[in-house]
Amino acid sequence: MPKIGNIGFVQKSIKDNQFKIKKKFGQNFLTDSTYLKKIVDSAELDKNTAVIEIGPGLGALTELLCEQAGFVLAYEIDEELIPILNQNLKDYTNYKIIFEDILKANILNDIELYLKEYSNIYVVANLPYYITTPILLGLLSKNLPVKRYVMMMQLEVANRICGKPDTKDYNALSIWVEYKAKPTKVCKVPRTVFIPAPNVDSAVVRLDVYDELPIQAIDEEVFSKLIRQCFVQRRKTLYNNLSLAYDKDCIHKMLDCLSISPSVRAEGLPLEDFVRMSDYLTQNQK
Ligand code: SAM
């Protein structure tokens, strides 16, 4: 019978003063086994699958992942958690925790070192909210051999990830995610199920990464820079935002050639138009 998150040790570790919660690391620990189970169930794990976890914290999610996945490779920035994680995960041998900032880690190297034998690699995490977007953009742009992401994040970011054109949630993150993966919102999570409670509600999002991209930019760096620039000032027109960073003449010619109105706002354009603009710039920019 698989365990459903030994939530007791989260409260105990905090109550016994074994550990001081650090706000600067976005430490909000999940204390409700129903939501832990929802995260793990929606990842659909098996023993041929390895999981990369970001921020194991006190190990509540890690424990469930060790139960259901073949191996767990976790990154934790807070070295004060070493003895607590060793204690809380003492029944398991199928994990490795690297005490390092995920934004600085050489993940590809670590995958080669620890996860070579696994056919499926998923990322499953309750993300530190202060760096949700850099983590997501960083992981997606590295083209890691990761097939699925199941992540808890602040509701606002989850809405953006699943944002559609012509809505207030649609932005560069929505487009970057839509380019790489199929996003699904799994569930909303109230702030009350964390210790300490954050100031915002959360949501679990699942991203299934495309084996083959339905539409591919010639140069993903050009594409990434372009979509960020298109939304740099949300209320400005596409032309005004682009002319802040690119040659004005080139932008005029591009919009004319692609039959995109210079007065539209980026929030009204579908993914295909961003890829067309990116490819034009790749081929025509000096
Ligand atoms: N997984 C635990 C849970 O579900 O209760 C903890 C989640 S807590 C929201 C985020 C965790 O990420 C904390 O343990 C924190 O120390 C860790 N963390 C914060 N910044 C990090 C970084 N840059 N790299 C790796 N871990 C980080």
Side-chain angles (χ1 to χ4, degrees):
M1 178 72 178
K3 295 187 186 180
I4 306 179
N6 185 0
I7 285 300
F9 66 60
V10 173
Q11 275 105 336
K12 190 168 180 324
S13 305
I14 296 168
K15 206 166 115 240
D16 292 355
N17 270 335
Q18 285 178 31
F19 167 73
K20 209 168 168 351
I21 293 173
K22 298 179 195 67
K23 251 187 163 175
K24 67 170 178 178
F25 289 149
Q27 290 178 344
N28 303 97
F29 299 106
L30 187 54
T31 60
D32 186 321
S33 53
T34 313
Y35 290 104
L36 276 178
K37 191 170 174 323
K38 278 192 182 174
I39 295 174
V40 177
D41 284 353
S42 62
E44 298 181 61
L45 302 171
D46 59 38
K47 288 289 171 188
N48 296 319
T49 300
V51 167
I52 297 176
E53 186 187 4
I54 299 149
L58 302 165
L61 178 60
T62 324
E63 183 193 25
L64 270 188
L65 296 173
C66 288
E67 285 279 339
Q68 297 196 18
F71 194 83
V72 180
L73 172 65
Y75 295 89
E76 173 56 64
I77 200 168
D78 187 356
E79 292 192 8
E80 219 197 302
L81 289 166
I82 295 174
I84 301 178
L85 280 165
N86 283 342
Q87 171 61 29
N88 291 345
L89 298 172
K90 65 178 183 322
D91 296 341
Y92 302 92
T93 52
N94 60 334
Y95 73 93
K96 164 83 186 163
I97 299 179
I98 299 179
F99 286 89
E100 191 180 8
D101 181 343
I102 184 69
L103 298 177
K104 296 187 181 142
N106 187 338
I107 305 171
L108 211 47
N109 211 43
D110 297 334
I111 288 176
E112 186 59 26
L113 213 55
Y114 299 105
L115 310 182
K116 223 176 22 207
E117 68 201 75
Y118 291 92
S119 44
N120 290 329
I121 302 176
Y122 298 169
V123 169
V124 182
N126 172 13
L127 292 175
Y129 292 175
Y130 72 110
I131 44 170
T132 303
T133 304
I135 291 178
L136 260 171
L137 291 178
L139 292 174
L140 286 174
S141 62
K142 282 190 180 90
N143 286 326
L144 301 170
V146 170
K147 293 187 175 169
R148 178 174 297 159
Y149 292 82
V150 176
M151 294 165 302
M152 171 122 71
M153 61 192 72
Q154 55 274 53
L155 182 60
E156 192 195 346
V157 181
N159 288 340
R160 273 192 228 135
I161 284 181
C162 302
K164 296 278 173 256
D166 285 320
T167 67
K168 70 173 176 31
D169 293 318
Y170 191 62
N171 73 356
L173 183 61
S174 334
I175 295 162
W176 191 228
V177 168
E178 188 191 349
Y179 175 74
K180 291 278 185 188
K182 183 175 166 294
T184 315
K185 208 192 281 172
V186 175
C187 62
K188 262 178 81 172
V189 185
R191 63 192 81 184
T192 48
V193 298
F194 297 89
I195 294 182
N199 296 326
V200 290
D201 291 324
S202 300
V204 178
V205 172
R206 169 169 156 169
L207 305 179
D208 288 291
V209 180
Y210 295 122
D211 285 338
E212 262 181 53
L213 299 181
I215 170 163
Q216 175 132 33
I218 297 169
D219 185 329
E220 289 190 352
E221 276 183 36
V222 175
F223 175 69
S224 167
K225 181 184 165 197
L226 170 88
I227 56 177
R228 277 181 280 130
Q229 190 58 38
C230 287
F231 286 89
V232 80
Q233 292 192 45
R234 211 182 162 80
R235 302 311 305 157
K236 283 200 169 187
T237 63
L238 182 66
Y239 174 78
N240 282 342
N241 276 336
L242 290 177
S243 62
L244 295 173
Y246 299 93
D247 175 69
K248 287 189 173 65
D249 192 40
C250 174
I251 295 304
H252 264 305
K253 283 191 184 135
M254 173 183 84
L255 296 177
D256 190 41
C257 171
L258 303 179
S259 305
I260 297 174
S261 164
S263 61
V264 290
R265 295 202 177 95
E267 66 192 35
L269 296 177
L271 169 65
E272 294 73 28
D273 282 346
F274 294 99
V275 173
R276 290 195 308 133
M277 287 192 281
S278 164
D279 288 352
Y280 182 97
L281 291 175
T282 305
Q283 288 166 327
N284 292 286
Q285 240 183 350
K286 282 150 241 140

